[in-house]
Amino acid sequence: MRERLRVGVVGAGYVGLTSAACLAELGHTITCVDVDAEKVGRLREAEIPIHEPGLPELVGNSLAAGRLAFTTEHAALRDVDVVLLCLPTPTGQAGTADLSAFDLALTTLRDTVSPHCVVVIKSTVPVGTAERAAAALGRPVVSNPEFLREGHAVHDFLHPDRIVIGACDERAREVADALYDGLDAPRLHTDPASAELAKYASNAFLALKVSYVNELAELCERLGADVTDVTGTMGLDERIGSAFLSPGPGWGGSCLPKDTRALLHAAAEAGVDFTVLADAVTANARQLDRVVAKVRQAVTGSDDGSLSGVRLGLLGLTFKAGTDDLRESPALAIAARLAAEGAQLTGYDPGVRRAADLGEVQLVDEPSLVAKDAAGLVLLTEWPEFRELDWPQLAQLAERATVVDCRNLLEPGELAQAGFTYFGLGRC
């Protein structure tokens, strides 16, 4: 076992906070820096601003043990052995990543950290960023992309399916490698450019897979097949696998939309016509319209029926279950389209706080309030607890007992028994 490291983490967002807490759990001493003084104050009291199972316990335990500290002062990083850059890289102009926060951190670090400190990039950044950062800092920079799933981030960090370290300098590679001592996972040592591209390529492939199954679901409806049986057959083929083969309202969140846009921009800059990925993005946008059309037909009985003044209840608003993240949520995109057609929307989500900006959706605290006097219920996020709702009671509360299950989460037979007319995606 190598000596534990003094680690600085710049950015206490989703990736930075999870990385800081998990590295502290592995025994390293962590100093996490963020410019948001209010957030830092809350984190010092172990108040976690995101919904992530296991994270509050890790932060609280490491704070108590003295292995984790939060500050707004970059000067606290002066004596660390390694710094992890965990800055946001949202979509900027023309689809490329906005690196303004990242570049500001580089400027600050250049005059802060000691000469022996190794800089590691965990942010998702365009190919060539590590090389550019190395030139700006005058030292080797490692690309070490994260592969964390929201709602499973702590588990994914401590039980990774792979650790990718892109470095040209041997000492920098060894230091980055030492961060993960104690974790049993395949380690890929490569160059920075390959590591940077691997993150974009992984997320873009997942987006391709979801767009494929959503279009497959439409084909199943047209041909009278059941998509759950079709994808169940596909998933047993180890070359395909069952993950990301469930149809839904479209892919969203903080990663897939941003990363597909960035990869398409990089391909265009390199003169590569990445047609298959561009088509997946187009298919994802079309999926939103398909879901709205299904809702319209289900609650009005007509493809061109009017939703003006129709009360709809939405179950689920986050982009996926297990998180409070509303960024680029397909549920909210569909809600916006329904509202534009005049629908009156009430929504419930176990992960969403009342302070959230939900556009035209009135947030309520109980699923029964979503169903009351509704002409239809639309399930948009796959929260497992929705299976356990009192569906017979909801049927009695609704004006029309109709449910459009955009995640194929529910059992059609059970819903029929409860009194609902059921509509799924790609189900016969």
Side-chain angles (χ1 to χ4, degrees):
M1 185 70 70
R2 287 175 283 197
E3 182 180 353
R4 294 307 185 187
L5 299 170
R6 295 167 298 176
V7 182
V9 176
V10 180
Y14 183 83
V15 173
L17 183 55
T18 302
S19 299
C22 290
L23 289 171
E25 177 71 9
L26 293 176
H28 302 295
T29 301
I30 313 298
T31 302
C32 186
V33 179
D34 196 279
V35 296
D36 188 334
E38 181 181 353
K39 179 194 291 185
V40 167
R42 292 174 60 192
L43 289 171
R44 285 172 174 168
E45 300 298 322
E47 296 180 16
I48 309 303
I50 58 176
H51 177 81
E52 189 59 48
L55 190 56
E57 293 81 4
L58 287 188
V59 171
N61 292 341
S62 293
L63 282 170
R67 294 192 305 271
L68 177 61
F70 296 97
T71 180
T72 59
E73 300 298 327
H74 287 80
L77 305 178
R78 193 170 303 280
D79 296 321
V80 298
D81 303 305
V82 56
V83 167
L84 273 59
L85 296 180
C86 305
L87 287 310
T89 55
T91 300
Q93 293 183 347
T96 189
D98 179 357
L99 298 180
S100 55
F102 180 89
D103 288 340
L104 181 60
L106 285 184
T107 301
T108 303
L109 287 176
R110 185 173 53 212
D111 301 321
T112 301
V113 296
S114 64
H116 78 276
C117 178
V118 173
V119 174
V120 175
I121 301 175
K122 291 201 75 68
S123 299
T124 302
V125 294
V127 176
T129 301
E131 181 180 6
R132 181 173 66 83
L137 296 173
R139 70 181 70 218
V141 172
V142 178
S143 174
N144 173 219
E146 51 85 17
F147 297 95
L148 306 178
R149 298 170 298 161
E150 291 193 40
H152 301 83
V154 170
H155 177 273
D156 290 350
F157 194 104
L158 297 176
H159 305 277
D161 50 22
R162 78 277 210 197
I163 297 170
V164 179
I165 297 175
C168 297
D169 179 83
E170 185 60 31
R171 177 182 172 272
R173 178 183 292 114
E174 289 179 356
V175 171
D177 214 36
L179 287 168
Y180 303 101
D181 279 356
L183 299 184
D184 182 18
R187 301 195 183 197
L188 175 63
H189 292 160
T190 185
D191 58 274
S194 296
E196 290 164 338
L197 184 56
K199 174 59 187 290
Y200 282 118
S202 295
N203 278 351
F205 186 77
L206 296 178
L208 282 168
K209 203 170 180 182
V210 177
S211 286
Y212 175 86
V213 78
N214 282 338
E215 296 209 321
L216 180 64
E218 183 182 24
L219 181 61
C220 286
E221 291 181 8
R222 300 287 180 90
L223 299 180
D226 191 317
V227 72
T228 57
D229 292 337
V230 174
T231 56
T233 301
M234 294 169 60
L236 294 175
D237 187 330
E238 64 180 12
R239 297 169 302 174
I240 299 173
S242 59
F244 282 75
L245 277 185
S246 297
W251 40 266
S254 62
C255 294
L256 297 194
K258 171 177 70 73
D259 292 353
T260 51
R261 288 191 288 261
L263 187 55
L264 284 171
H265 181 270
E269 290 286 297
V272 174
D273 185 6
F274 212 149
T275 305
V276 66
L277 183 56
D279 286 347
V281 173
T282 300
N284 192 57
R286 194 163 56 238
Q287 182 68 4
L288 302 176
D289 294 327
R290 282 200 290 260
V291 169
V292 171
K294 179 174 281 290
V295 172
R296 186 188 306 112
Q297 207 286 329
V299 300
T300 70
S302 171
D303 291 338
D304 57 0
S306 173
L307 291 175
S308 180
V310 174
R311 190 176 188 281
L312 298 175
L314 309 182
L315 290 170
L317 300 167
T318 54
F319 87 95
K320 72 170 190 174
T323 178
D324 58 356
D325 199 342
L326 295 165
R327 288 175 291 179
E328 299 214 36
S329 169
L332 291 184
I334 287 166
R337 283 166 166 76
L338 293 171
E341 294 195 20
Q344 298 175 2
L345 304 175
T346 303
Y348 169 77
D349 190 297
V352 176
R353 303 176 180 88
R354 276 201 170 274
D357 181 7
L358 302 176
E360 298 294 324
V361 181
Q362 178 188 358
L363 186 66
V364 295
D365 296 328
E366 296 290 340
S368 60
L369 297 176
V370 167
K372 184 173 173 55
D373 300 326
L377 301 180
V378 186
L379 192 154
L380 292 165
T381 310
E382 72 284 17
W383 287 96
E385 47 262 58
F386 288 161
R387 292 193 184 99
E388 309 304 321
L389 296 178
D390 189 340
W391 287 100
Q393 180 198 40
L394 298 183
Q396 292 178 356
L397 290 169
E399 178 184 299
R400 290 183 56 195
T402 299
V403 62
V404 180
D405 181 2
C406 298
R407 296 285 186 168
N408 289 353
L409 179 74
L410 308 173
E411 175 53 48
E414 293 180 6
L415 269 291
Q417 201 168 34
F420 274 95
T421 302
Y422 175 89
F423 297 88
L425 297 186
R427 286 178 142 174
C428 54

